[in-house]
Amino acid sequence: MSRSVRLVPTRLVPAVTACALALVLTACGGTGGVQGTPGSAGVADPYFPEAGNGGYDVTHYALTLAYAPDTSTPLTGTATITARATQNLSAYDLDLKGMKVKSVTVQGKSARWTRTGQELTVRPPATLPKGRTFRTTVHYSGTPGTITDPDGSEEGWLPTADGALALGEPTGSMAWFPANDHPSDKASYDITVTVPKSLQAVSNGELRSETTTGTGSARTTTYAWHTAQPMATYLATLAIGHYDITRTTTKNGLPVYVAVDPQEAAASRKVLAKLPEIMEWEEYNFGPYPFSSTGAIVDRRGDAGYALETQTRPFFPGAPDTATLVHELAHQWYGDSVTPKTWRDMWLNEGFATYAEWLWSEDHDGDTAQQTFDALYDGTYYDDPSDSEAIWAFPPARPTSAAHISDSPVYERGAMVLHKIRRTVGDARFYDIIQGWAATHRYGNANTADFTAYVEKMAPGKDFSGIWKNWLYGDGKPARP
């Protein structure tokens, strides 16, 4: 992500003995006497405790959506969620904010469900034994909402001049589909979207088919997108509107799909032409690209307040500059493939992507990473002194609250931590570390403790205690390096 401006208690269920009651916790029949308990509502994320849910692990989302602008029900959806029970499961939650739920089935059988806030609680007809793979299908419709984050930025479903835009960081995906909406649970996706023939629908991964049906004003086009590699919910996107589409490949045959609003086409052309060069440079520095396609979505300036690393196809509000394109593409390694375990670990996304900008500058006749580091430390990087002071507001590994996970210490000071590691181990070992980190945790999740342990393992005999204490976890501005 590129900055612009930038609690749920355990459910109490009354004791009951009749298995026909809605809140029953022990299934009757069909499970060989297995008793279950409800999965938790929320995964106790330190900044977004209501996000995500316990008791299961999602492996695949199949979303079938229809968008009908200028109607009372602009979005109609069917979400089929394949998951594996991680406990004997009598009930479980999905995150869904707003929208009207019509029905829920589990393994094709009607299931009881209730709603409280963002929690859609599903009670299957029988306990799901631990290890069982099961399918939940939710039919829903309505007007998806826009969510305002603690930092004041907007996400979820964003209406645009000619359509709509769905962005999810950190909790916006629940505005347009039911999910286990936390980065710790990644899955593959099929997103099929039907829109009026005059519009286009762009999402993550590869476009499997584009089919137009109907006659006259009733003609619609269905776009079927497939993402095979695991993806966190916050990285799923959907852009509906008018776009100039460009399909190319990189030198090594990687498909490139770029969608640009016609109003931004001229301003975007030069920088987007660098995309293959940037991809080649990032593969050289960060290791093999982890996904099966790449590209970009450029919407009109003002459609959102920030760029975002939506998986395989980063989003930009207006024509990006080169540094921002480098930043969001670097996230495909750091943030998208290697995803944080909690929102406290955001610096592992943003510090890496910010340092990628420094490295690009260094390799392309701009300031060296050391010059950027020194300017930030000395307070000469920004014109506004308050921006220079903001870097030291808190340590990158400990944002003070959910409202600050996208603040300067997470980005700039996070990048400074990486530069300190580079100075300690030398260039050869540093690139071994960042490439190895991406490879070791490919498609998985990791936190700050995982990273510090990995660095120490990769550079035995080096002392990182001062970096961890003063730069990563320490309050205030460290002493002159």
Side-chain angles (χ1 to χ4, degrees):
M1 181 177 183
S2 291
R3 298 187 310 278
S4 52
V5 289
R6 299 221 40 130
L7 307 170
V8 177
T10 302
R11 294 182 181 276
L12 299 178
V13 183
V16 292
T17 57
C19 67
L21 293 179
L23 298 179
V24 65
L25 297 185
T26 303
C28 297
T31 62
V34 173
Q35 293 186 338
T37 54
S40 62
V43 294
D45 186 275
Y47 299 136
F48 296 92
E50 296 181 27
N53 304 283
Y56 64 94
D57 174 59
V58 178
T59 57
H60 185 70
Y61 291 94
L63 308 179
T64 303
L65 310 172
Y67 174 70
D70 304 321
T71 68
S72 59
T73 307
L75 189 69
T76 301
T78 298
T80 298
I81 303 163
T82 303
R84 180 182 58 84
T86 57
Q87 66 184 61
N88 294 331
L89 199 58
S90 64
Y92 54 94
D93 284 19
L94 295 167
D95 297 305
L96 181 64
K97 191 175 181 67
M99 308 297 285
K100 180 180 179 181
V101 175
K102 180 180 179 181
S103 67
V104 180
T105 63
V106 179
Q107 293 295 86
K109 297 180 180 180
S110 294
R112 299 175 185 272
W113 54 272
T114 56
R115 301 193 70 181
T116 304
Q118 71 182 49
E119 304 295 333
L120 169 60
T121 303
V122 179
R123 298 180 176 85
T127 291
L128 299 165
K130 182 178 179 179
R132 172 73 57 84
T133 296
F134 63 98
R135 292 186 311 279
T136 306
T137 300
V138 181
H139 296 277
Y140 62 102
S141 62
T143 302
T146 299
I147 296 172
T148 300
D149 288 337
D151 68 359
S153 60
E154 292 185 334
E155 58 178 90
W157 191 264
L158 307 175
T160 62
D162 58 351
L165 173 66
L167 298 175
E169 189 180 39
T171 61
S173 293
M174 63 181 172
W176 60 287
F177 67 95
N180 194 17
D181 197 8
H182 189 266
S184 59
D185 193 0
K186 302 166 73 171
S188 57
Y189 282 73
D190 282 290
I191 300 177
T192 302
V193 189
T194 300
V195 297
K197 177 63 174 68
S198 60
L199 299 177
Q200 294 151 296
V202 183
S203 190
N204 311 87
E206 291 78 59
L207 181 61
R208 288 292 182 84
S209 65
E210 179 181 333
T211 308
T212 299
T213 59
T215 59
S217 61
R219 296 182 77 197
T220 60
T221 301
T222 299
Y223 296 83
W225 293 90
H226 176 69
T227 300
Q229 293 84 20
M231 179 167 70
T233 50
Y234 80 92
L235 298 170
T237 191
L238 177 59
I240 300 172
H242 300 106
Y243 298 99
D244 292 340
I245 305 296
T246 303
R247 304 187 200 201
T248 58
T249 59
T250 62
K251 289 181 180 179
N252 60 5
L254 183 73
V256 181
Y257 188 102
V258 175
V260 182
D261 185 286
Q263 292 192 7
E264 299 293 336
S268 300
R269 189 171 295 115
K270 185 175 181 179
V271 68
L272 290 178
K274 296 180 181 180
L275 194 153
E277 176 191 359
I278 293 171
M279 288 293 299
E280 183 178 0
W281 177 86
E282 293 193 342
E283 282 200 276
Y284 177 80
N285 285 281
F286 308 144
Y289 180 65
F291 303 119
S292 50
S293 66
T294 187
I297 299 170
V298 180
D299 239 316
R300 299 183 192 185
R301 194 166 300 277
D303 283 348
Y306 48 87
L308 188 63
E309 62 268 24
T310 42
Q311 191 160 305
T312 68
R313 197 148 291 110
F315 166 81
F316 303 94
D321 58 24
T322 300
T324 305
L325 185 58
V326 168
H327 182 110
E328 303 305 338
L329 288 173
H331 272 308
Q332 306 306 303
W333 284 261
Y334 308 109
D336 294 14
S337 178
V338 184
T339 304
K341 288 181 179 177
T342 77
W343 288 111
R344 177 177 286 159
D345 304 302
M346 270 280 280
W347 85 275
L348 291 172
N349 294 13
E350 302 301 349
F352 272 82
T354 301
Y355 199 62
E357 295 181 53
W358 299 11
L359 294 175
W360 173 271
S361 172
E362 183 173 271
D363 285 353
H364 293 82
D365 300 323
D367 287 346
T368 66
Q370 184 64 51
Q371 287 172 321
T372 303
F373 181 101
D374 290 340
L376 287 166
Y377 188 88
D378 294 337
T380 60
Y381 186 84
Y382 295 109
D383 294 332
D384 188 337
S386 65
D387 290 334
S388 298
E389 288 299 319
I391 296 171
W392 315 110
F394 56 82
R398 286 203 309 239
T400 51
S401 71
H404 300 289
I405 62 172
S406 291
D407 282 5
S408 182
V410 174
Y411 288 68
E412 280 75 31
R413 189 166 167 183
M416 295 174 89
V417 169
L418 294 175
H419 189 68
K420 292 289 291 182
I421 295 170
R422 181 184 175 192
R423 291 292 304 273
T424 299
V425 302
D427 278 8
R429 184 55 55 88
F430 175 74
Y431 284 102
D432 286 344
I433 288 172
I434 63 173
Q435 290 181 17
W437 173 252
T440 299
H441 294 280
R442 187 179 177 99
Y443 306 140
N445 295 84
N447 61 22
T448 300
D450 295 325
F451 179 71
T452 57
Y454 184 80
V455 171
E456 291 173 357
K457 177 183 176 181
M458 291 289 289
K462 296 292 185 179
D463 182 10
F464 298 98
S465 59
I467 299 175
W468 306 153
K469 179 181 177 181
N470 300 318
W471 290 89
L472 188 56
Y473 288 107
D475 292 324
K477 186 177 182 178
R480 164 66 68 177

